[in-house]
Amino acid sequence: MNPLWVIPQQGGPGPEVEAYVIASVDLLNRSGFNVMLRTDMAVWRSTVVDGGYKINPTFDPDLNALGGANAFWLQVTMPGEGTVGCIANRVFATSDYVAIIENGTLWYEHPPATVTRMTFLLPHLRGHIKGAIGHHGGLWVAPQFRGQGLSWILPRLTRALSILRWDVDWHCGMVFGSLRDRGVPTDNYGYSAVELCIDGYFPPTDSEERLFMTMIRRYDMDLQIVRDLDLMKLHADKQVIDFAPIARQRQDQPLVATPGAA
C-alpha cells in the first residue's frame, strides 16, 4: 500500500479533504508522475543536496528531532527519470507560532547564538497564529520539469495531508524576497497572506536576506480544497501542466458551474 493512504484520522476533517488528496494523486498520475509520502527526512535531505540546493534546517534530522509523528515529505518520481520533485512538511503545536520564528526554534531545536542578530518584523502577529501549525519548505523541482505545475500542486497537497494527519489550524511557510516579488506564494503555492518577516541577518544562510512568512488559516484551506476539487472534477481530462492556469483563471468563479460555463 502506498504510504500516502496510511493517514491517522483526527476526526476533524471533512470527506472533501480525503477526496481532494485522491484527486490530486490521480491528477499527478495521469500527468506521468508518481507521488509517495515518506517520513525518512534524511532521504529528503540527500535528495535536495543531490539537486544542488542548500538544506532548510527546519527539516534537517541532524538539527531537529523528526519522525513520522511530526514530519513528512512528498517524493515525486517519473519512470526513467527518478526523483523529479519534492516538498517537506512539519507540524508545530504552539500557543504562538510567531514566537518560534523569533527565537529560532522554527529552524533549530537548539538555536545558535546568531539568532539574536535577526531583525524580526511581525510583533503585531504575536499570539494570533496558534494551535497545530503546518509548515512547508524544501520544495525542489528538477530543472527540466519546472513550469509543469508541480510547484502549484505540491503545496496544496501538502496542506491537505496536514489536515488529515494533524487537523491543523493554520499552514505557513517562508519564502525569500525574489519569490514573493514574482507572486509565487499566492499564485503558485496558494497562500492567502504574505508578510515581511525578516529584513537583515538570517542565520540559516549566514547572510542578509528579505524573508517573507506565508500563511493560510484552516477556514481558507477548506474553501480552497472544495474549490480545487470542483475544478479537478470539471477538468478531469487535464494534466498538471494544464491545470494550474485553469485554477488561477477560475479562482473567483462559482464553485458550481452554470450551463455553458467553460
Side-chain angles (χ1 to χ4, degrees):
M1 178 182 291
N2 187 331
L4 200 61
W5 310 122
V6 184
I7 302 170
Q9 297 295 318
Q10 301 292 336
E16 297 87 358
V17 183
E18 187 169 351
Y20 175 82
V21 170
I22 294 170
S24 296
V25 174
D26 287 345
L27 175 59
L28 284 162
N29 289 165
R30 70 172 177 263
S31 303
F33 300 107
N34 296 313
V35 60
M36 180 172 288
L37 184 150
R38 305 189 63 172
T39 57
D40 44 359
M41 302 307 294
V43 179
W44 166 82
R45 181 179 57 199
S46 298
T47 300
V48 174
V49 169
D50 290 346
Y53 274 59
K54 293 183 178 180
I55 298 300
N56 183 331
T58 300
F59 310 101
D60 188 339
D62 284 348
L63 299 174
N64 297 281
L66 302 176
N70 67 349
F72 68 81
W73 66 288
L74 299 182
Q75 180 183 31
V76 181
T77 60
M78 177 174 276
E81 298 285 348
T83 300
V84 300
C86 65
I87 189 172
N89 196 52
R90 279 185 66 177
V91 65
F92 292 90
T94 177
S95 60
D96 190 353
Y97 175 78
V98 169
I100 70 173
I101 301 173
E102 191 169 15
N103 65 27
T105 53
L106 178 73
W107 299 284
Y108 306 98
E109 187 171 342
H110 303 289
T114 53
V115 165
T116 60
R117 294 171 53 190
M118 288 194 307
T119 301
F120 185 72
L121 302 175
L122 293 179
H124 59 288
L125 289 179
R126 287 195 183 103
H128 180 63
I129 302 174
K130 55 189 176 182
I133 316 298
H135 177 92
H136 102 267
L139 175 60
W140 171 79
V141 177
Q144 65 271 34
F145 292 96
R146 291 171 190 169
Q148 297 194 26
L150 289 178
S151 67
W152 178 85
I153 196 168
L154 287 179
R156 288 166 166 80
L157 178 55
T158 296
R159 289 196 291 270
L161 288 165
S162 292
I163 292 173
L164 286 178
R165 293 180 72 86
W166 301 312
D167 202 11
V168 295
D169 301 292
W170 290 79
H171 210 283
C172 300
M174 293 282 174
V175 298
F176 292 107
S178 58
L179 289 179
R180 180 264 183 185
D181 293 344
R182 300 203 308 269
V184 171
T186 50
D187 295 347
N188 275 23
Y189 300 167
Y191 283 97
S192 56
V194 183
E195 292 220 27
L196 183 62
C197 178
I198 295 168
D199 191 3
Y201 180 76
F202 183 49
T205 62
D206 193 30
S207 61
E208 302 289 309
E209 306 282 4
R210 289 172 65 240
L211 200 67
F212 290 80
M213 185 177 84
T214 64
M215 66 198 93
I216 184 170
R217 58 180 177 162
R218 173 63 174 273
Y219 175 80
D220 293 320
M221 281 188 274
D222 289 339
L223 288 180
Q224 187 179 77
I225 284 169
V226 170
R227 183 185 68 228
D228 287 356
L229 180 59
D230 180 70
L231 291 173
M232 289 179 185
K233 292 177 180 177
L234 287 172
H235 302 281
D237 60 327
K238 298 293 183 180
Q239 297 187 357
V240 176
I241 194 171
D242 306 309
F243 192 77
I246 292 172
R248 285 198 295 272
Q249 292 164 9
R250 292 178 52 86
Q251 63 184 351
D252 296 322
Q253 300 300 314
L255 295 180
V256 179
T258 55

